[in-house]
Amino acid sequence: MSSPQLNVEFEVGRTLTLRPSQVVRGSVSLIILDTSKTLFASSIKIKFRGEETASAKIKDSGPVPKTTKRVETARTIYFECNYTVWSGGSNGQTRANEYRPWKELTPGTYKFQFALKLPPVNFPPSVEGPKGFSIRYIWQPVIEGAGGSLIEGPEVVTPFIPISFAPPDQEWCFRDILCNENKTPRKMLVEVEAILSKHVFSPGEDLKFTLRLTNHSNGRITCVQCSLRKHYEGPLDREFVCEKHERSLVSTDRRCDIAATTNQKGELEFSLTVPKKFHHIPPTFTGRHLRVYYTLRCVIQAEMGSLLTKMQYHEVIIPIAISSFPHISQEDLPENISYPSYTESRLGPFFFDPKEDFPPPQVDTLNHSPYSPTLSAISSLQLNNFYNSDHDSSTTQSPYYSENDSSIINDNMETNQRVIVTDSMALDRTERTTFTTTRLS
């Protein structure tokens, strides 16, 4: 006997990208085949949540020559909301705290509509990092059956892009002096000066900069390699050292010939294109447990000696920042667009009657400011010009479906969990934080 097929479908298809103050419409699709088991259902719901997760593997040395391993996971649920799209009660209605009767659903195809309003709030950007590092916005359909049985459909992950803009362009100069740390007194090797047109970039932009080198070493500088790198750190604010991961997004190199003479100078021009796909390049962000930031890594290659040459490598790290969108002047905007951070607002997403054209207004209990569903001054079409919503065709796994990798490794022996409610007085949105320890065999 086959199982019923339960899925979430969005009105705009699989290209849905979440943003502040957005209305999302879709349906829960249920297919019951003739060969399926008889389905007795009391209600069908759609659930939506946003969560941030960071994990770290820890090695503990015991009294005997044996090392035990554990995974420390910190997770914060920013919001959780659900909506009953179908009920087995009389006329589809049941009162609060009332037992829900069940009905038999015959074979066929069913679609149940839903609508959700996102508040005018900048929630954290979606992050898909190394396993155990993520910020996700997850939809899941659920069937509640007779006797408390439960059928859960696959989780669908949709990306969220906060609306934040880079500051006006301003030239920025980074300087560093590379020395030989192994000798006393330290000897100056290379003076580095990087000239950037700005230090905040956005996806799809050209990252151009000039690298000026002054050679004080005994070697000839022959090549400089430069790469844009993305860094993950977490969990933050824990008693143990957080894990750090690093990935190269794009790289280039330049050949040169800066001789080993006193104060010999050289100047190199670099140009990199910041990737445009939002699931590759989320904005710079520090959350409850996870930090994402970017650097330019320049590796200077020098040849030592004349007959028997030996290569030396010197590393320069240049910090930069990534924003969701490039700078837009006030003259290009009909009005000022500014959304508060999730740390400054208690507003959360909510479902409303899908038959209604507009959702009801919200009032932020933190500052008592009313919000109504007005249209944003920047249309979705204009914002989409900055991002390429096409998914990476090199993978067969859709980024919209969760892999349910809340624990790094499944062969755990023991799991301890501690729950902390971090915003217990919030009337609209309550965050819940859990710390989980998983001991591995």
Side-chain angles (χ1 to χ4, degrees), residues 112-364:
F112 308 99
Q113 305 296 321
F114 67 84
L116 177 131
K117 175 65 168 62
L118 285 165
V121 173
N122 271 332
F123 286 112
S126 291
V127 173
E128 288 294 339
K131 198 167 187 179
F133 287 77
S134 65
I135 297 177
R136 292 175 173 172
Y137 296 85
I138 302 170
W139 308 76
Q140 186 177 33
V142 173
I143 298 178
E144 294 179 345
S149 62
L150 195 69
I151 298 177
E152 295 182 338
E155 293 184 341
V156 179
V157 180
T158 49
F160 182 91
I161 301 177
I163 297 183
S164 59
F165 301 94
D169 296 354
Q170 183 177 0
E171 187 175 271
W172 184 58
C173 181
F174 173 87
R175 295 182 177 87
D176 195 6
I177 298 178
L178 306 180
C179 299
N180 190 336
E181 304 291 343
N182 298 326
K183 293 185 178 181
T184 304
R186 295 193 308 167
K187 179 183 177 181
M188 182 186 300
L189 299 177
V190 183
E191 287 185 73
V192 180
E193 184 179 22
I195 309 298
L196 294 87
S197 59
K198 53 186 177 181
H199 67 276
V200 181
F201 298 85
S202 62
E205 285 191 319
D206 290 332
L207 198 165
K208 298 180 179 180
F209 66 99
T210 301
L211 195 65
R212 296 172 182 167
L213 304 176
T214 303
N215 191 0
H216 299 282
S217 70
N218 297 325
R220 178 187 299 271
I221 298 176
T222 58
C223 182
V224 178
Q225 297 176 335
C226 182
S227 60
L228 173 62
R229 309 186 76 83
K230 177 168 58 174
H231 304 260
Y232 303 91
E233 290 184 2
L236 307 178
D237 299 328
R238 302 295 290 153
E239 67 275 9
F240 48 83
V241 178
C242 66
E243 278 201 10
K244 297 182 180 181
H245 299 270
E246 183 177 339
R247 288 181 176 176
S248 176
L249 300 175
V250 61
S251 62
T252 186
D253 60 76
R254 291 290 182 272
R255 304 296 300 182
C256 59
D257 187 3
I258 306 176
T261 57
T262 304
N263 297 332
Q264 182 69 25
K265 297 184 179 181
E267 185 171 294
L268 303 174
E269 299 290 337
F270 288 88
S271 179
L272 299 168
T273 300
V274 181
K276 199 172 185 179
K277 295 183 179 180
F278 49 73
H279 55 284
H280 287 171
I281 189 87
T284 302
F285 173 75
T286 299
R288 309 291 193 196
H289 318 293
L290 173 65
R291 178 184 297 118
V292 181
Y293 64 96
Y294 299 85
T295 60
L296 285 172
R297 179 175 180 262
C298 298
V299 178
I300 302 170
Q301 175 182 299
E303 293 183 359
M304 310 295 293
S306 55
L307 297 177
L308 299 176
T309 60
K310 182 176 66 173
M311 306 303 298
Q312 283 191 352
Y313 298 92
H314 312 292
E315 184 181 71
V316 178
I317 303 298
I318 305 172
I320 64 168
I322 299 293
S323 65
S324 296
F325 302 101
H327 175 70
I328 300 179
S329 63
Q330 292 296 324
E331 292 76 14
D332 296 330
L333 295 177
E335 61 183 68
N336 183 33
I337 296 180
S338 178
Y339 293 113
S341 167
Y342 70 103
T343 60
E344 302 170 346
S345 173
R346 288 177 177 168
L347 291 177
F350 65 93
F351 289 96
F352 64 96
D353 189 346
K355 297 179 181 179
E356 298 293 332
D357 293 332
F358 301 101
Q362 280 181 290
V363 176
D364 193 341

Side-chain angles (χ1 to χ4, degrees), residues 22-40:
Q22 184 179 8
V23 173
V24 178
R25 295 181 182 272
S27 61
V28 174
S29 172
L30 173 63
I31 301 177
I32 305 176
L33 303 176
D34 292 334
T35 58
S36 299
K37 297 179 181 179
T38 302
L39 182 61
F40 300 98

Side-chain angles (χ1 to χ4, degrees), residues 27-28 43-46 83-87 112-114 142:
S27 61
V28 174
S43 65
I44 301 176
K45 294 182 178 180
I46 176 71
Y83 182 72
T84 302
V85 297
W86 177 88
S87 174
F112 308 99
Q113 305 296 321
F114 67 84
V142 173

Side-chain angles (χ1 to χ4, degrees), residues 73-100:
T73 301
R75 173 181 285 112
T76 289
I77 305 294
Y78 296 120
F79 56 79
E80 286 181 294
C81 53
N82 62 76
Y83 182 72
T84 302
V85 297
W86 177 88
S87 174
S90 301
N91 298 322
Q93 300 293 327
T94 55
R95 293 175 297 181
N97 301 322
E98 184 180 53
Y99 173 75
R100 293 182 181 272

